[in-house]
Amino acid sequence: MKKVFYAIAISASIFTGCSSNDDEPIVKAPVEGEISGDITSNKTFAYGNYTLKGMVKIAAGVTVTIEKGSTITADKRDGEDGLVVLKNGTLIANGTADEPIVLTEQSKVAGSWAGIIMYGDAPMIGTGGVISADSEDGLKLPYGGANENHSSGSLKFVRVEYAGLVITSNQKEHNGFSFYAVGAGTVLENLVSYKGNDDGFEFYGGTVSGKNLISYGNSDDAFDWQDSWKGQNNTNWFAYQTGKANYGMEVEAKGNNNAFWPKVTNITLKRAAGTTTEAPSGEVQLDAIQFKSNGNGDFSNIVIDGYVNQTTPTSVTGGAVQVLDLNTYTNQVVGGKIKLTNVKISGTPTLFISGAGTFTLSAASFPGTNWGVSTTATGAALTSGKWATVDGVNLLANL
């Protein structure tokens, strides 16, 4: 195993702002350092500014803590960078609204590094019903376990910027946050994925839930999952798609007709005027929510806005809800496993898109009360602060 190298230029024990007046606060100076190699023993990174070098891996049985207010900066010029929590490793990165933990990249160019990758020990179900698969992040590590309540740690008020490194399409791809079979004991709260080159958040199976998530300006899907992910306590998801983007939410289950589904409440999906799809040909990728491969879910209090037809560079029809294939339509829509209730839609002329052309998706396709439009839905409820501000821009201004 590689050793972890810490080049600490300023001791964490140095303080500034001291005064003879005991009532004045003592301000702790940030340390300066480097994070690299495999981390094989427990480590706390004090509040500071760190350089991330390489695919840093937190080993099984090891707990790494990053103190609030810290900034970790990758540099694409030194090769592939990322922060990886291996199965049974633990990452504790708890910032605050005013002192978030920020992981960014020096050039501020989308797709410059691998983001945060976390492996857990919760179940997944892949193609053909397999309960284990190899990751698509280039590490090709097996994921999938049996512990639904497994914990990989806690991420609170963490922002990942300019990630989504894609080295070989469909062979080695990264997102802002990648969660492989992560369990429900893991805490994911107040997270931002900002201007990445792939998905903002992707769940590969598992049972973990995310609260107060912002996907802003990511060029593929804002939220994406597969491998029969079934998080049950998700709330306050906000996607703002601008520049180049595909789906607000891409929902699929690798063809498995599961008896369970994830649940998400309070969702806002917005697409800025002039935003174009990443893939203008082939599969249409311009919808607020797309279901395929038996993807399903229970979604409520949803605001959808701005999913208009695209005219340039290629003509593409956009809509609120797309179902791509007949199996998903039959098993999940007609079968009652897709619920979309209290949905407020504006700036989106087409409500339904039938991807396969062998069925017609409509409000009547949903049994009982599984589809319901509203004029009073409020969507995500999030509070502004430094955690949701980048270069002086309030990411919630369009919420």
Side-chain angles (χ1 to χ4, degrees):
M1 303 287 283
K2 298 179 182 176
K3 295 181 179 179
V4 183
F5 173 70
Y6 311 103
I8 307 300
I10 304 176
S11 171
S13 63
I14 296 177
F15 297 88
T16 62
C18 297
S19 168
S20 59
N21 185 342
D22 293 338
D23 293 332
E24 291 188 12
I26 297 175
V27 180
K28 189 177 181 180
V31 302
E32 303 285 339
E34 178 183 294
I35 304 174
S36 63
D38 295 341
I39 304 178
T40 57
S41 60
N42 294 346
K43 173 65 182 176
T44 294
F45 290 96
Y47 160 62
N49 300 312
Y50 297 91
T51 299
L52 181 69
K53 288 194 175 181
M55 294 294 286
V56 175
K57 303 180 186 69
I58 300 172
V62 173
T63 297
V64 169
T65 301
I66 302 172
E67 291 190 346
K68 64 182 181 180
S70 295
T71 298
I72 299 172
T73 304
D75 185 347
K76 66 179 182 180
R77 295 174 299 181
D78 64 24
E80 188 177 5
D81 299 322
L83 182 58
V84 183
V85 185
L86 296 177
K87 182 177 178 179
N88 294 320
T90 302
L91 174 61
I92 307 297
N94 292 335
T96 67
D98 289 329
E99 296 179 280
I101 296 169
V102 179
L103 295 93
T104 189
E105 198 277 331
Q106 189 176 68
S107 70
K108 296 187 176 183
V109 174
S112 293
W113 69 295
I116 293 178
I117 303 170
M118 182 175 280
Y119 288 84
D121 192 33
M124 62 80 71
I125 306 175
T127 303
V130 300
I131 58 174
S132 179
D134 290 340
S135 61
E136 64 178 36
D137 54 9
L139 300 175
K140 293 189 175 181
L141 295 175
Y143 64 98
N147 184 357
E148 291 200 350
N149 293 315
H150 184 264
S151 175
S152 297
S154 177
L155 305 180
K156 296 182 179 180
F157 294 100
V158 175
R159 187 168 72 243
V160 169
E161 303 174 350
Y162 312 112
L165 177 64
V166 178
I167 295 180
T168 305
S169 182
N170 297 321
Q171 295 289 328
K172 192 172 185 179
E173 300 184 4
H174 302 293
N175 309 291
F177 294 86
S178 301
F179 301 113
Y180 286 93
V182 175
T186 307
V187 176
L188 305 178
E189 295 180 3
N190 296 89
L191 308 181
V192 178
S193 181
Y194 178 79
K195 290 193 176 181
N197 192 47
D198 209 284
D199 301 325
F201 297 85
E202 183 154 5
F203 300 89
Y204 300 84
T207 53
V208 70
S209 294
K211 299 179 180 180
N212 308 330
L213 307 185
I214 301 172
S215 180
Y216 189 102
N218 293 292
S219 65
D220 196 351
D221 309 313
F223 301 98
D224 189 352
W225 62 86
Q226 56 182 286
D227 297 323
S228 305
W229 170 68
K230 57 176 178 179
Q232 296 293 294
N233 296 298
N234 303 277
T235 189
N236 293 327
W237 286 15
F238 173 43
Y240 187 69
Q241 299 185 278
T242 182
K244 182 191 296 182
N246 295 329
Y247 303 116
M249 291 166 43
E250 184 176 29
V251 182
E252 67 115 323
K254 291 289 182 69
N256 296 290
N257 185 14
N258 298 312
F260 56 81
W261 48 81
K263 297 180 181 179
V264 189
T265 62
N266 308 331
I267 304 166
T268 298
L269 306 174
K270 289 192 174 183
R271 193 175 182 91
T275 303
T276 59
T277 61
E278 182 185 44
S281 61
E283 181 183 330
V284 175
Q285 299 192 36
L286 175 53
D287 303 295
I289 308 174
Q290 189 227 37
F291 296 93
K292 67 180 179 181
S293 299
N294 275 322
N296 58 17
D298 183 347
F299 312 100
S300 61
N301 190 23
I302 308 164
V303 171
I304 293 173
D305 180 56
Y307 290 81
V308 299
N309 296 345
Q310 174 181 304
T311 56
T312 59
T314 302
S315 179
V316 178
T317 300
V321 179
Q322 181 197 116
V323 173
L324 183 64
D325 57 277
L326 181 59
N327 280 340
T328 302
Y329 176 78
T330 302
N331 296 331
Q332 310 307 322
V333 179
V334 179
K337 299 176 185 178
I338 292 177
K339 303 177 183 180
L340 297 157
T341 57
N342 194 20
V343 185
K344 181 180 179 180
I345 302 173
S346 60
T348 305
T350 304
L351 293 188
F352 300 108
I353 294 180
S354 307
T358 58
F359 59 89
T360 301
L361 181 67
S362 69
S365 302
F366 295 83
T369 59
N370 283 7
W371 168 262
V373 294
S374 166
T375 60
T376 60
T378 55
L382 298 164
T383 302
S384 299
K386 290 183 179 178
W387 76 284
T389 303
V390 180
D391 296 333
V393 177
N394 176 12
L395 304 186
L396 300 179
N398 293 293
L399 181 59

